[in-house]
Amino acid sequence: MIRAAVLPAVGSPLEITGIELPEPGPGQVRIRLAAAGVCHSDLSLSNGTMRVPVPAVLGHEGAGTVVSVGEGVTHVAPGDGVVLNWAPSCGTCHPCTLGEVWLCVNALAGSANVYARTEDGTELHPGLNVAAFAEETVVAANCALPVPDGVPLTDAALLGCAVLTGWGAVHHSARVREGETVAVFGVGGVGLATLQAARIAGASTIVAVDVSPEKEALARAAGATEYVVASDATAKDIRKLTGGHGVDVSVECVGRAATIRAAWDATRRGGRTTVVGIGGKEQQVTFHALEIFHWGRTLSGCVYGNSDPAKDLPVLAEHIRAGRLDLSALVTERITLEGIPGAFDNMLAGKGGRALVVF
């Protein structure tokens, strides 16, 4: 028996309870978690904004140590540190054959599997494949990537979502060039990673935007050169900071219609707006045809940072070892499993950066 945070039904409170994990079968890996980040996507899964089969164990941003492996697993062995990859690519679907592995149509197929049971025999699904809100988990082998040398195991959990997403939004989706100006909307875990990525890319002016004035110190430590408290005048404030033009690149990390619209309005003519935040279907964003023509901006979605974890993790590790990328700076709270509901409340209240469950 191991302890886990179980979502019994959409909209229900998480239950910290014992669950029974099987031994890994062929092509599977059992992992003892060192840490798991609490991501806004977990909140979205719990409240039904995003759908997964339930009951489920949530948590998709994690790292730990391999306990045992099933038949056919050769890339990791017991005792190895691994980062959980919640969106493994199949390699054969149409996006994968185009090299767009972040759009793999089969990436979340494992979420429909039964991977564990509660003490009374209730079948459990692994939320987003990896079920990281638990002391241990069993995952498909392609969900376990070796932790790069020189990266502390607990910090490595953040590589599994926040850092790959923020890094990829800057380097793969928006493709920020040295000297460009950048605005980042939302200073949570992903937003802080995005700010660091923009700094590493050599952006000149980096504007952080958030509803909370208390996050300014966090944002500036991550690389922001300017800080704007969100209001109806956000886009105008950003244009004032950039010679009246707007920024070359806006990255929206919130997933709300008003924020997406503000990010678009804050982008210069011919600039790029990248949307990372995941919003609900009720969040309708509108544009009129003339402004799309006149402003010549590019608006693009960004899934998992448009990243290929197997290729990007070694690049990120080099920045970590060189001191350019600080994973611990994303974490504003270290908690136990029991602290996850409180971390959700803080997200809703716009407080803090990343909460990290440490086992």
Side-chain angles (χ1 to χ4, degrees):
M1 298 291 295
I2 57 103
R3 296 171 69 250
V6 175
L7 178 69
V10 172
S12 297
L14 292 180
E15 298 177 358
I16 311 302
T17 186
I19 67 171
E20 296 181 358
L21 276 181
E23 290 303 311
Q28 291 185 322
V29 180
R30 182 164 180 154
I31 298 162
R32 181 179 301 111
L33 272 296
V38 183
C39 179
H40 201 281
S41 295
D42 298 308
L43 176 60
S44 296
L45 292 167
S46 71
N47 64 25
T49 299
M50 298 168 61
R51 293 284 184 175
V52 292
V54 290
V57 175
L58 300 183
H60 62 281
E61 180 183 87
T65 302
V66 175
V67 175
S68 55
V69 300
E71 181 183 351
V73 177
T74 59
H75 74 294
V76 293
D80 289 350
V82 293
V83 177
L84 295 177
N85 176 16
W86 62 269
S89 56
C90 70
T92 58
C93 69
H94 185 60
C96 283
T97 62
L98 296 175
E100 298 172 349
V101 297
W102 54 91
L103 298 179
C104 176
V105 298
N106 299 309
L108 297 181
S111 296
N113 296 336
V114 172
Y115 95 113
R117 286 175 170 78
T118 62
E119 293 179 88
D120 65 6
T122 301
E123 296 180 336
L124 296 173
H125 301 280
L128 294 186
N129 288 320
V130 297
F133 287 166
E135 294 171 328
E136 295 187 13
T137 189
V138 174
V139 302
N142 59 358
C143 289
L145 299 174
V147 172
D149 292 339
V151 180
L153 188 58
T154 300
D155 290 347
L158 301 167
L159 294 173
C161 185
V163 177
L164 274 172
T165 300
W167 172 264
V170 168
H171 291 269
H172 300 320
S173 180
R175 300 187 180 186
V176 175
R177 298 181 290 268
E178 185 173 0
E180 288 193 312
T181 54
V182 177
V184 177
F185 288 72
V187 185
V190 173
L192 289 169
T194 304
L195 289 168
Q196 289 202 45
R199 171 177 49 77
I200 292 169
S204 53
T205 300
I206 304 175
V207 185
V209 182
D210 199 275
V211 295
S212 172
E214 289 76 21
K215 290 188 180 182
E216 181 172 357
L218 271 176
R220 289 189 180 275
T225 61
E226 309 288 345
Y227 192 82
V228 172
V229 177
S231 71
D232 292 341
T234 294
K236 291 182 180 178
D237 292 340
I238 291 174
R239 286 198 292 271
K240 288 178 183 177
L241 293 170
T242 53
H245 306 294
V247 288
D248 297 303
V249 171
S250 286
V251 182
E252 199 275 356
C253 303
V254 181
R256 293 183 184 147
T259 317
I260 294 169
R261 181 70 218 200
W264 167 267
D265 289 339
T267 304
R268 70 164 174 83
R269 194 175 188 187
R272 292 100 69 200
T273 304
T274 291
V275 178
V276 174
I278 301 172
K281 294 179 180 179
E282 76 284 357
Q283 296 292 324
Q284 298 289 318
V285 188
T286 59
F287 309 91
H288 61 72
L290 183 59
E291 70 174 303
I292 293 174
F293 160 77
H294 172 76
W295 289 105
R297 298 166 176 147
T298 300
L299 177 68
S300 62
C302 180
V303 179
Y304 201 7
N306 293 8
S307 292
D308 181 343
K311 294 179 179 178
D312 286 327
L313 286 182
V315 176
L316 291 169
E318 181 57 35
H319 287 298
I320 294 167
R321 290 190 291 265
R324 292 183 290 268
L325 179 59
D326 183 1
L327 299 182
S328 63
L330 277 62
V331 180
T332 54
E333 187 179 18
R334 294 176 186 267
I335 60 175
T336 63
L337 285 172
E338 287 78 7
I340 296 174
F344 283 172
D345 291 340
N346 285 339
M347 283 182 191
L348 290 171
K351 296 180 180 178
R354 195 52 125 217
L356 190 67
V357 180
V358 179
F359 296 93

